[in-house]
Amino acid sequence: MAEKEIAAPAKPTIYPVTIWQQYLLDEANHPDCTDDLRDRFILSNAFLVRPKIDLRRMRRAVDKLRERHDSLRIRLCLIKDKWRAVIDPPQGETIREVDLGNLSDEDFLPAISAIANAPMPLIDAPLAEVIVAHCGARGDVLITRVHHAITDGYGMVVLTEDLTKLLIGLPVTGKAVSHAEYIKRFQSPRPSQALKTKTFWEDLHRDLPPEPNVGRKAKGIEPLSYALGKVDQRQLFCRATPDSLRSFEAAAKAANLSATTLLFAAYLEAICQCYNLDRLMFMVAISRSDPALDTYVGDHTLDPFLPYKAVGPSRIMEGAKALADTFAEAMAHLPSDAARRGTPYQRRLIERGYNLSQFSVHQPRAMSRQDRSMFSEGFYAGVGAIQKIGPFTLEALDISVRRRRFADMRLEAGSAKVRTGFGLSYDGISYTENESTTIANTICQLLDLEPVGMDLT
């Protein structure tokens, strides 16, 4: 009988890193990089599962997930003086178990949060992991940790949806976009559009407003152009009455605007009014610029630097419509070096004296993908809500920690289904509590929102 051939073990494949990964690597290796940036840019989730996690089924599902999405198998390594994405084969241990025993109510959440938010090395180490924490009679906790170098909010929704389907036996259709395909097809504009894209951004940025005498500049402190150095991260959340929020959303709809765009315009207008500015630059997080990226779980970080022109308190709807047009034009000319951190284009603007990280707007959830998902109700359930999957119940745990933002001041808009107001995330070195409260009150005045509380942390 002929001897069976023993297959040679699969070898890693090596590709260039993405622009976003290069940015994070450059930042992490910069002498001014602080400990709150290194190894801590992680997207984590934790779910209490009762009665117990079916580890056999979970391992099968995670194995299939890693095989489908090669971004989960990336290690970032320095090879011949160049950073490379080394993609390991799918084989290998995929779930780590931790036995925490019967923790008290007081100790339970801190113990889970410590695991979920532990440092994750960026260089030559796995950038994604699944952990099952056995918590005695309380049940098991499923913890997922993925470094931002290999995924973003949209990608986390894709991963969660695919993992859920694999666990309950639903088909996962369509081929996922690989790291190599992303580099080739989506990192730069198509050759036929490259000149048009370059010309658009050059024209848009031809007459940029100078850095206003606001924040660090007003206090005589070096700007955080590359999100390096010391910050004092703070947050303000402004809660508004349900009636005033409904009126605000109705006014946006009547003007054929999204509520988010109107809120963003009010934030930018509020800054202009508070600091007597006629225009400013801001950064906006845009998750996906091409429907073909629907199955891509890697980080597609696009942060265009856009201008806003003040319109005055009585014309906020006009400002919001102009902002919507700006967004639409920007989306039609992506991807572009002008929309990515860490590019030569960004460095040239900074060298010309523009502070690109002073103001930003952000919608934290990957809304378009969540709304289309068959599990959308689960995505919107929120912390503490109980969900059922077959014989199991899942409860999302609050393991959130305060993380450094890329802008000195950022407005955060929540989901339309859960929004009770808006948040300002700001650097306490750049701005005082009084300044942030004044900006929040001005936003409310512009939108006729009735604030019922402002939580400062």
Side-chain angles (χ1 to χ4, degrees):
M1 187 173 69
E3 293 185 8
K4 291 184 179 179
E5 290 188 9
I6 301 175
K11 295 181 179 180
T13 51
I14 301 174
Y15 297 100
V17 296
T18 65
I19 291 174
W20 168 248
Q21 289 164 353
Q22 183 70 55
Y23 172 83
L24 292 179
L25 288 161
D26 289 344
E27 186 175 80
N29 287 282
H30 193 285
D32 291 337
C33 186
T34 55
D35 288 343
D36 64 328
L37 284 172
R38 286 194 177 101
D39 305 337
R40 293 184 182 271
F41 207 7
I42 307 159
L43 302 177
S44 303
N45 290 297
F47 295 90
L48 177 61
V49 181
R50 297 187 179 96
K52 297 281 185 181
I53 290 174
D54 184 339
L55 277 169
R56 186 176 168 187
R57 175 177 290 187
M58 179 63 70
R59 280 199 173 89
R60 281 202 307 265
V62 173
D63 286 345
K64 291 178 181 178
L65 192 72
R66 292 180 80 248
E67 187 172 359
R68 174 173 171 78
H69 298 292
D70 65 358
S71 292
L72 296 176
R73 296 181 268 121
I74 286 177
R75 288 180 292 115
L76 301 177
C77 303
L78 193 62
I79 299 175
K80 295 182 179 179
D81 296 326
K82 289 187 177 180
W83 290 111
R84 297 298 186 195
V86 177
I87 302 180
D88 291 320
Q91 296 81 9
E93 184 60 39
T94 55
I95 295 179
R96 176 161 65 95
E97 294 182 73
V98 179
D99 192 351
L100 297 180
N102 289 301
L103 295 169
S104 66
D105 290 345
E106 185 179 42
D107 294 335
F108 170 64
L109 203 55
I112 297 301
S113 185
I115 295 171
N117 294 294
M120 176 177 280
L122 178 62
I123 298 170
D124 199 14
L127 297 173
E129 66 175 342
V130 177
I131 303 167
V132 173
H134 302 295
C135 299
R138 193 186 297 269
D140 291 339
V141 176
L142 175 66
I143 303 168
T144 60
R145 290 161 35 85
V146 189
H147 199 287
H148 214 325
I150 60 169
T151 196
D152 54 16
Y154 191 102
M156 288 296 288
V157 174
V158 178
L159 287 171
T160 303
E161 182 175 7
D162 285 359
L163 180 60
T164 304
K165 287 180 177 178
L166 292 168
L167 281 169
I168 62 179
L170 289 176
V172 181
T173 57
K175 183 178 180 292
V177 173
S178 69
H179 177 85
E181 288 170 330
Y182 177 77
I183 293 283
K184 183 178 179 180
R185 296 175 54 201
F186 302 103
Q187 177 148 289
S188 301
R190 294 180 179 88
S192 60
Q193 295 292 315
L195 180 59
K196 181 181 177 183
T197 297
K198 181 174 181 286
T199 301
F200 167 80
W201 290 102
E202 286 179 347
D203 289 345
L204 187 70
H205 291 164
R206 195 174 301 282
D207 182 28
L208 295 176
E211 179 183 357
N213 191 31
V214 175
R216 288 187 176 235
K217 184 173 182 179
K219 297 171 177 62
I221 305 171
E222 186 80 13
L224 295 175
S225 298
Y226 295 104
L228 298 166
K230 188 176 187 299
V231 300
D232 179 14
Q233 194 68 53
R234 300 188 185 184
Q235 291 176 318
L236 175 151
F237 187 77
C238 177
R239 289 175 285 113
T241 64
D243 285 346
S244 67
L245 282 168
R246 281 192 288 270
S247 296
F248 152 69
E249 291 181 347
K253 186 176 181 180
N256 199 28
L257 292 165
S258 73
T260 300
T261 300
L262 180 54
L263 180 60
F264 287 171
Y267 161 72
L268 299 168
E269 186 67 32
I271 292 172
C272 289
Q273 298 303 314
C274 290
Y275 296 104
N276 195 29
L277 305 174
D278 62 348
R279 55 195 180 126
L280 54 76
M281 281 186 68
F282 70 99
M283 184 169 62
V284 56
I286 294 178
S287 180
R288 290 295 190 268
S289 60
D290 192 317
L293 283 167
D294 269 2
T295 60
Y296 180 59
V297 305
D299 191 297
H300 183 61
T301 294
L302 298 173
D303 297 295
F305 313 115
L306 304 175
Y308 177 81
K309 186 175 181 180
V311 294
S314 62
R315 300 168 60 197
I316 188 61
M317 285 297 181
E318 293 179 35
K321 289 177 180 178
L323 186 62
D325 291 342
T326 301
F327 285 160
E329 283 288 307
M331 286 291 289
H333 295 87
L334 293 176
S336 165
D337 275 1
R340 294 180 183 272
R341 286 191 290 262
T343 60
Y345 186 94
Q346 181 202 22
R347 288 193 289 274
R348 287 196 298 272
L349 287 181
I350 291 172
E351 287 166 2
R352 285 163 55 190
Y354 299 113
N355 186 351
L356 306 177
S357 300
Q358 196 163 15
F359 309 112
S360 74
V361 294
H362 186 64
Q363 187 166 322
R365 295 191 173 197
M367 301 295 292
S368 59
R369 179 74 191 206
Q370 286 189 182
D371 290 341
R372 297 198 314 271
S373 172
M374 64 189 304
F375 306 110
S376 59
E377 292 303 318
F379 287 124
Y380 288 113
V383 170
I386 304 296
Q387 305 173 56
K388 286 191 70 68
I389 296 182
F392 302 98
T393 61
L394 279 71
E395 177 186 348
L397 303 178
D398 184 4
I399 55 166
S400 58
V401 297
R402 186 177 299 172
R403 301 203 186 278
R404 171 192 293 256
R405 305 306 187 198
F406 283 107
D408 294 2
M409 178 167 286
R410 181 172 91 172
L411 181 130
E412 297 181 348
S415 152
K417 293 188 178 182
V418 299
R419 182 169 57 232
T420 57
F422 59 86
L424 292 179
S425 177
Y426 65 98
D427 172 26
I429 297 174
S430 303
Y431 300 93
T432 65
E433 288 186 2
N434 183 60
E435 285 179 287
S436 64
T437 303
T438 300
I439 291 171
N441 279 323
T442 305
I443 293 171
C444 290
Q445 292 166 13
L446 289 167
L447 299 177
D448 292 327
L449 290 174
E450 297 176 27
V452 292
M454 292 197 188
D455 304 321
L456 285 157
T457 56

